[in-house]
Amino acid sequence: MFSKIIKNKFSIFWVIFFFIIAFNYLSFNYFIKSFISLEKQENNKILSSLITYIDSRFNTIRITTKDYSYWDDTYEFIQNGNQEYIYENFRDTTTTLENINLNFMIFINSKNEIIHTQVTKDINIKDKNDFTKSIVDSIKDNQDISIIKYQNNYYYLVRSQILRSDLSGETKGYLYTGKKIQLEKFSNDYQSNIKFIDKVPSKIDATLKSKFIDKINVHFEYDKNILSNIISLNTNNKNLVVLQFDNYREIYTQGKKQIVLFNATVSVFVLILFFIFYFYIYYHQKLNKQLEQKIKDEIKKQKAQEEILIHQSRSAEIGEMINNIAHQWRQPLNNLSLTIQNISFTYQSGVLTQEELDKTIDKSKKIIKTMSNTIDTFRDFFEPNKNKVLFKIEHSIDNTLEILSSTLRFHNIELIKEIIDDVEIYDFENEFSQVLLNIITNAKDALVSNKIEKPTIKITISKIFNNLIVKIKDNANGVDEEIIDKIFEPYFTTKGKDQGTGIGLYMSKLIIEKNMHGKIEVTNDKEGAVFRITLPITKE
């Protein structure tokens, strides 16, 4: 049999060669799809952060605008023309607009007559009247929020009715306020390039949701290293503003390098295994010939015993060699090796068919699929799911702990789970799991950072009346009392720029309190921080 293997070595080599080509092609396409999917998820997260960023600016301006439009002094100013109001608050030498972080404020009466316009110097408006008219004309009908362009600059714009503070009087006019849009901070935070453009997207690939903007459509343009998001913002079905948001395709490029490196490693190992096997057989064939020659020179009575010893020695060496090789390979590669040997023997016996070859390729694909199960588990966990489902809280906690189990074991963190009441609710399971992931990850980071000797995280599930209570407690010495009231604020972090964005707990608060209509709070006890999540128990 060994002789036949040696004679057919070139045929076996070509079979292995074509197998390597097929393996590289299939595995590359399979894994690159996963990296592209992960890239899309990360890109969507950044896009959502951008919309949240814009919404927060609109919300701040809207609150300030309502404060001034519902101010009785403003009401009296529009009704009676009391110029002392302007002198005290909005004369040219005042810094009121700068203090409230606005660039302009325009007062008009109920007859749509412009009463007063105040503009900060830093936006450099050459013609105040033209600017004022453009602002007033840009919002019509029932729209109170818009993004406008004037002299190559873009502005957040908010309009509010001028009313008495107790809403007892009729509308006396409108107050227009605005702020120049500056996206440099967002670009720096995400290391991305974002700018306004005049290009209208050719098609719509995705839509985003906003509190204040009616329609947000996104078109994706892929380059070798850049993913460009062409974002159209429509605030009143007439005023279309387009942003271009470029992201470096780090996940895709790094993933492609890893796939190439993995495929090259597997290919080299398979070739090395083939040559080791070939030279091993060749060496033993040569050794057998030498032994046979020596046996011929021995006396006949020792010939049988000598042949037995040679056979035993050869078998032992073959077994030991194969065992040594097998111990160097992980199970998936061992399966691939067995598949290759099966092709060889099938070919030698003359029964290698296209069907057998297809079965071998299918088997190899299944082995590759098994190796990717870990990646699939993470991907499924962050898959956004906007539909409410009926789920058990303990099941959601177990899924989260499965994701974090390796990290917790690596840092020797003990996880204690106490189920007082096994509660089932109808809500957003994946979003709730994301909140758990954020809080437990923060607790882990605090335990590691503070070098706690016996780090512990305890999760307790209970029910009070018709509310679910989830407590997540650690022994990391707690949160500094000076900042404990700020940890749910956006972009607030104690970890530094390289380790945290300050958005995790903020998003957790939005999920619990806005999406799930619950409450999240944090306190300190004698050992550490205690996060308490309260959710209403509903079945539909």
Side-chain angles (χ1 to χ4, degrees):
M1 183 179 72
F2 288 161
S3 298
K4 291 181 179 180
I5 292 176
I6 296 298
K7 291 178 181 178
N8 293 296
K9 60 183 180 294
F10 292 109
S11 298
I12 298 173
F13 174 78
W14 283 112
V15 170
I16 294 175
F17 175 77
F18 285 117
F19 166 77
I20 291 174
I21 296 297
F23 169 78
N24 278 267
Y25 175 78
L26 294 172
S27 64
F28 181 85
N29 283 279
Y30 181 84
F31 285 115
I32 203 68
K33 288 180 181 179
S34 297
F35 282 111
I36 290 175
S37 176
L38 183 60
E39 176 186 56
K40 288 181 179 178
Q41 292 179 30
E42 292 301 316
N43 185 66
N44 288 339
K45 289 180 183 179
I46 297 177
L47 287 176
S48 297
S49 297
L50 173 61
I51 301 307
T52 301
Y53 178 85
I54 294 174
D55 280 350
S56 67
R57 297 301 181 273
F58 266 128
N59 191 52
T60 301
I61 297 172
R62 186 183 65 167
I63 291 172
T64 303
T65 306
K66 284 192 174 183
D67 285 344
Y68 272 89
S69 62
Y70 289 7
W71 191 13
D72 290 342
D73 285 355
T74 305
Y75 186 87
E76 296 298 329
F77 164 64
I78 296 298
Q79 185 175 33
N80 303 322
N82 181 8
Q83 292 300 316
E84 186 175 336
Y85 169 82
I86 297 298
Y87 179 80
E88 291 179 353
N89 299 279
F90 298 107
R91 66 182 183 275
D92 292 338
T93 56
T94 63
T95 58
T96 303
L97 291 183
E98 289 86 344
N99 293 339
I100 60 177
N101 201 22
L102 292 176
N103 287 124
F104 63 84
M105 187 175 279
I106 300 170
F107 301 82
I108 68 171
N109 61 20
S110 57
K111 297 179 181 180
N112 210 33
E113 297 171 339
I114 299 171
I115 304 303
H116 181 75
T117 300
Q118 187 78 12
V119 180
T120 59
K121 296 180 180 179
D122 58 326
I123 60 173
N124 194 23
I125 299 300
K126 296 180 180 179
D127 188 339
K128 184 190 291 187
N129 292 331
D130 181 68
F131 175 74
T132 303
K133 186 176 184 304
S134 297
I135 295 298
V136 173
D137 291 342
S138 63
I139 293 186
K140 298 180 180 179
D141 303 327
N142 295 324
Q143 295 292 331
D144 290 327
I145 285 178
S146 183
I147 295 178
I148 66 162
K149 179 181 179 182
Y150 184 80
Q151 292 183 349
N152 297 322
N153 289 322
Y154 291 83
Y155 299 87
Y156 301 106
L157 177 60
V158 175
R159 181 179 71 171
S160 179
Q161 298 182 57
I162 297 175
L163 299 166
R164 293 186 62 84
S165 60
D166 58 3
L167 305 181
S168 61
E170 60 183 9
T171 300
K172 290 302 177 183
Y174 290 92
L175 176 61
Y176 293 75
T177 64
K179 174 70 176 176
K180 181 179 177 182
I181 299 178
Q182 296 175 317
L183 297 170
E184 291 82 359
K185 183 180 184 302
F186 188 88
S187 297
N188 293 334
D189 289 344
Y190 286 91
Q191 298 181 347
S192 303
N193 181 29
I194 183 168
K195 59 184 177 181
F196 289 98
I197 61 174
D198 295 327
K199 173 183 177 182
V200 178
S202 58
K203 63 178 183 177
I204 299 172
D205 296 316
T207 58
L208 302 174
K209 293 185 178 180
S210 167
K211 295 180 182 178
F212 303 108
I213 302 174
D214 292 340
K215 293 182 180 178
I216 304 178
N217 298 324
V218 185
H219 169 55
F220 304 122
E221 293 185 355
Y222 292 89
D223 195 1
K224 181 178 180 182
N225 296 318
I226 299 296
L227 168 55
S228 295
N229 300 276
I230 310 301
I231 310 167
S232 59
L233 309 172
N234 194 331
T235 56
N236 55 14
N237 297 321
K238 298 177 182 178
N239 189 16
L240 184 66
V241 177
V242 182
L243 285 168
Q244 179 172 332
F245 185 19
D246 295 337
N247 279 325
Y248 177 65
R249 304 185 68 187
E250 184 175 0
I251 293 177
Y252 172 79
T253 54
Q254 293 298 325
K256 188 163 62 173
K257 290 178 181 179
Q258 292 176 12
I259 296 171
V260 171
L261 178 61
F262 171 77
N263 285 349
T265 302
V266 172
S267 301
V268 170
F269 280 168
V270 171
L271 288 174
I272 290 174
L273 181 63
F274 168 75
F275 284 113
I276 289 175
F277 182 74
Y278 169 74
F279 285 113
Y280 179 77
I281 297 301
Y282 176 80
Y283 167 76
H284 273 272
Q285 185 182 46
K286 184 177 180 180
L287 180 60
N288 286 342
K289 289 180 180 180
Q290 294 174 352
L291 292 174
E292 288 174 0
Q293 185 63 39
K294 289 181 179 180
I295 291 172
K296 289 180 181 179
D297 296 335
E298 296 293 331
I299 59 177
K300 291 183 179 180
K301 65 178 180 179
Q302 295 177 344
K303 184 176 181 180
Q305 183 180 1
E306 190 71 22
E307 288 178 349
I308 294 174
L309 291 175
I310 291 173
H311 178 74
Q312 292 176 342
S313 174
R314 183 173 61 188
S315 299
E317 290 177 359
I318 291 174
E320 183 180 355
M321 185 65 177
I322 292 176
N323 283 333
N324 287 336
I325 293 174
H327 281 297
Q328 299 301 318
W329 294 83
R330 291 176 293 180
Q331 187 64 34
L333 294 182
N334 185 42
N335 289 341
L336 290 176
S337 174
L338 294 175
T339 303
I340 294 169
Q341 293 182 38
N342 185 54
I343 294 176
S344 170
F345 293 133
T346 305
Y347 181 84
Q348 293 174 36
S349 60
V351 294
L352 180 62
T353 64
Q354 183 64 40
E355 183 181 359
E356 289 293 328
L357 184 59
D358 291 341
K359 287 181 179 179
T360 302
I361 293 175
D362 289 340
K363 184 177 180 180
S364 300
K365 289 167 66 177
K366 289 179 181 178
I367 295 172
I368 295 169
K369 184 175 181 180
T370 299
M371 297 168 68
S372 69
N373 280 341
T374 301
I375 296 176
D376 291 340
T377 299
F378 276 87
R379 183 180 60 190
D380 293 342
F381 180 82
F382 286 103
E383 186 71 24
N385 184 354
K386 294 300 181 183
N387 297 322
K388 288 187 175 183
V389 296
L390 189 65
F391 68 96
K392 287 191 175 183
I393 294 299
E394 183 179 8
H395 176 264
S396 180
I397 291 175
D398 289 341
N399 285 345
T400 305
L401 296 180
E402 181 180 353
I403 297 298
L404 292 170
S405 58
S406 296
T407 299
L408 296 178
R409 285 197 303 269
F410 178 79
H411 292 291
N412 296 317
I413 296 175
E414 181 183 5
L415 197 290
I416 302 172
K417 186 175 66 174
E418 183 180 8
I419 310 298
I420 299 175
D421 297 294
D422 190 6
V423 181
E424 189 175 48
I425 66 173
Y426 183 76
D427 223 312
F428 301 103
E429 181 176 12
N430 278 10
E431 291 193 359
F432 180 73
S433 297
Q434 188 66 48
V435 172
L436 294 175
L437 186 70
N438 287 338
I439 296 174
I440 297 174
T441 300
N442 281 352
K444 181 266 295 181
D445 292 341
L447 290 167
V448 174
S449 176
N450 292 335
K451 298 179 180 179
I452 302 302
E453 184 176 351
K454 293 182 179 180
T456 303
I457 298 175
K458 182 178 180 180
I459 303 175
T460 305
I461 303 174
S462 61
K463 182 174 69 172
I464 299 179
F465 300 112
N466 200 36
N467 288 322
L468 161 72
I469 307 297
V470 179
K471 290 183 180 179
I472 304 168
K473 177 183 179 302
D474 60 57
N475 62 339
N477 298 330
V479 184
D480 191 338
E481 292 294 340
E482 293 183 358
I483 64 170
I484 195 169
D485 293 332
K486 300 179 181 179
I487 65 173
F488 290 113
E489 295 179 3
Y491 309 110
F492 179 81
T493 179
T494 60
K495 300 178 183 179
K497 287 186 177 180
D498 296 335
Q499 295 178 320
T501 64
I503 203 69
L505 290 179
Y506 171 68
M507 294 304 297
S508 297
K509 186 176 181 67
L510 288 182
I511 290 171
I512 295 299
E513 298 189 355
K514 179 185 175 185
N515 295 1
M516 303 182 75
H517 307 292
K519 184 177 182 181
I520 183 171
E521 53 192 344
V522 61
T523 57
N524 287 324
D525 65 6
K526 62 181 181 180
E527 293 182 335
V530 181
F531 282 83
R532 177 188 171 103
I533 299 173
T534 304
L535 292 174
I537 299 176
T538 58
K539 297 296 184 179
E540 59 181 5

